[in-house]
Amino acid sequence: MLLVELAAILLAAKAAGHLASRWGQPPVVGQLVAGLILGAVVTLLPASEALQESNSQVDLLSNLGVLFLMFLAGLETDWQQMRETGRAATVAACLGVALPLGAGYLVGTAFRLPGVEALFLGVVLTATSVSITAQTLLELGSLQTTEGATILGAAVIDDVIGLVVFSLAVAATGASSGLPLPVVLVGVIAFFGLAPTAGGRAAHWLLVQAHHMQGSEGPLAVAIAIGFLFAALAAQVGIAAITGAYLAGLLINREDLYGELTEKIKVLGYGLFIPIFLVKTGMAVRFDAMASLAGMVAIVSVIAILTKILGCGLGSLACGLSLRQSLVVGVGMVSRGEVALITAGLGLQAHVLSETLFSATVIIVLVTTLVTPVLLRLVLVRVPAAAAELVANGA
């Protein structure tokens, strides 16, 4: 049964991802929709012990997919871009995290959600995925502009801040370890203090040694092991394991020395584990349980869009960008994506999000992803001419 389910998931993921790309959407949208469809089909099947066992085994592979996704996000982070995008990207990212976090919490409490669920709803809304934004900007000739560079830089900083906020939320609720809060806080401080220094040096030394190993793909295996060890250490001290995996990727490729290694990990991740995670996330959505939250989904979707536009736009405006440039930055940061899905999924696993609220957050992620290219095309109607002027002036 396991092999049949895996085959169905992988075939559905790749076919749906291909169709989404043909329709101008990122593959993640197609894979989520494939999961929604497969989830509906599975509910029609008769319950059996073999199906339950298969689902639990696929869940384990899905958890590995989460780690691979965040490990790759760290490996592909552009350190140079993060250093060079400057104050506008930093301020835009900070406000683009603060406004959705606060608004999500307030809306959650207004709908009488428990405090922890309201907090995690806000945390989910802090995430940003700019893959579709970058694609749209490229198509419209606006990627190599001030606002394009600000969006890309702010997205990197947004990911880092969002993961720190997520880790602090997990630590404060004790969702991942059950340890007392003072113990967790000491562990968090120790982890973030030692991992980038001693951990980074240890990772570099291990990879140097791996290149002298006999046999095939030694560096690949060692790099993945480093990612898993960082994830395990993070989970041990009460931080989300994904934070450890992301940090491991950041430290390994800090000097951009392992491009070939990153490509190999992408083959393994996107060929097997990551599609399983994305489809399983869609399969976990329960539409029948969402009737009571339909109004909240609509309201939160609007708030998710507006808070990113306002937060990131105001941050850019305060740092000297024009009103139109700031609007482009705000709209470009609207799309949520993989990090938001991971946050929601881990909240579900840790029982700090109900199945109903988890299903609602997945729909919100889809809405923000689908609406972003439409809004970008609206605000970029007259930008190409301005972009040419910026390039000519060396901006």
Side-chain angles (χ1 to χ4, degrees):
M1 190 68 186
L2 171 64
L3 298 179
V4 173
E5 186 171 354
L6 286 176
I9 287 173
L10 291 174
L11 289 173
K14 293 307 175 183
H18 171 70
L19 289 175
S21 298
R22 290 281 300 272
W23 294 336
Q25 297 296 327
V28 62
V29 170
Q31 291 167 350
L32 278 176
V33 173
L36 296 176
I37 296 171
L38 283 178
V41 171
V42 169
T43 58
L44 301 176
L45 298 177
S48 67
E49 185 176 337
L51 182 60
Q52 291 178 347
E53 183 179 352
S54 173
N55 283 335
S56 64
Q57 291 170 327
V58 173
D59 284 339
L60 292 175
L61 294 175
S62 175
N63 291 338
L64 288 177
V66 173
L67 295 180
F68 267 94
L69 189 56
M70 295 312 300
F71 187 42
L72 275 168
L75 285 170
E76 295 188 301
T77 294
D78 191 331
W79 281 81
Q80 187 67 19
Q81 183 181 73
M82 190 161 53
R83 287 190 289 261
E84 291 181 353
T85 46
R87 195 163 60 97
T90 303
V91 176
C94 290
L95 288 179
V97 167
L99 261 65
L101 176 64
Y105 177 77
L106 290 176
V107 171
T109 54
F111 277 90
R112 302 184 184 279
L113 295 179
V116 173
E117 279 199 314
L119 174 63
F120 268 78
L121 176 61
V123 172
V124 169
L125 297 186
T126 64
T128 291
S129 175
V130 295
S131 57
I132 191 169
T133 297
Q135 176 184 326
T136 305
L137 290 173
L138 188 62
E139 290 173 358
L140 297 176
S142 298
L143 188 61
Q144 302 298 326
T145 61
T146 301
E147 56 269 31
T150 302
I151 289 170
L152 296 178
V156 173
I157 299 168
D158 183 287
D159 278 347
V160 175
I161 297 172
L163 282 174
V164 171
V165 169
F166 173 65
S167 294
L168 292 176
V170 169
T173 59
S176 65
S177 65
L179 297 172
L181 182 56
V183 176
V184 170
L185 291 178
V186 170
V188 169
I189 293 170
F191 180 80
F192 282 111
L194 293 175
T197 53
R201 286 193 292 270
H204 177 70
W205 182 85
L206 285 171
L207 283 171
V208 169
Q209 302 309 309
H211 280 87
H212 300 299
M213 288 180 177
Q214 299 294 322
S216 60
E217 304 300 347
L220 174 63
V222 170
I224 293 172
I226 291 170
F228 287 167
L229 285 173
F230 270 71
L233 286 172
Q236 190 66 33
V237 300
I239 306 172
I242 61 168
T243 305
Y246 182 77
L247 184 58
L250 278 176
L251 295 173
I252 286 174
N253 210 26
R254 180 160 47 187
E255 303 299 330
D256 198 22
L257 300 174
Y258 299 105
E260 182 181 350
L261 183 61
T262 300
E263 290 302 315
K264 290 180 179 179
I265 295 174
K266 285 175 68 174
V267 170
L268 183 58
Y270 285 106
L272 177 60
F273 295 105
I274 295 172
I276 293 173
F277 159 67
L278 292 171
V279 172
K280 282 294 289 182
T281 298
M283 291 175 68
V285 172
R286 295 292 177 263
F287 287 105
D288 55 343
M290 285 179 55
S292 60
L293 288 182
M296 192 188 83
V297 170
I299 292 172
V300 174
S301 295
V302 172
I303 288 174
I305 294 168
L306 293 179
T307 51
K308 279 292 184 182
I309 293 175
L310 287 173
C312 298
L314 289 175
S316 302
L317 190 64
C319 293
L321 271 68
S322 70
L323 181 60
R324 176 170 286 277
Q325 287 175 322
S326 300
L327 181 60
V328 172
V329 172
V331 171
M333 296 288 285
V334 163
S335 178
R336 274 47 170 200
E338 296 87 339
V339 176
L341 295 173
I342 290 170
T343 304
L346 292 179
L348 178 66
Q349 290 179 14
H351 305 294
V352 294
L353 284 184
S354 65
E355 281 193 359
T356 303
L357 188 56
F358 167 79
S359 300
T361 57
V362 173
I363 300 303
I364 291 165
V365 168
L366 280 172
V367 169
T368 59
T369 303
L370 292 170
V371 78
T372 297
V374 177
L375 293 178
L376 265 179
R377 285 181 170 87
L378 288 176
V379 299
L380 281 169
V381 170
R382 290 192 296 272
V383 165
E389 182 181 346
L390 284 170
V391 172
N393 292 333

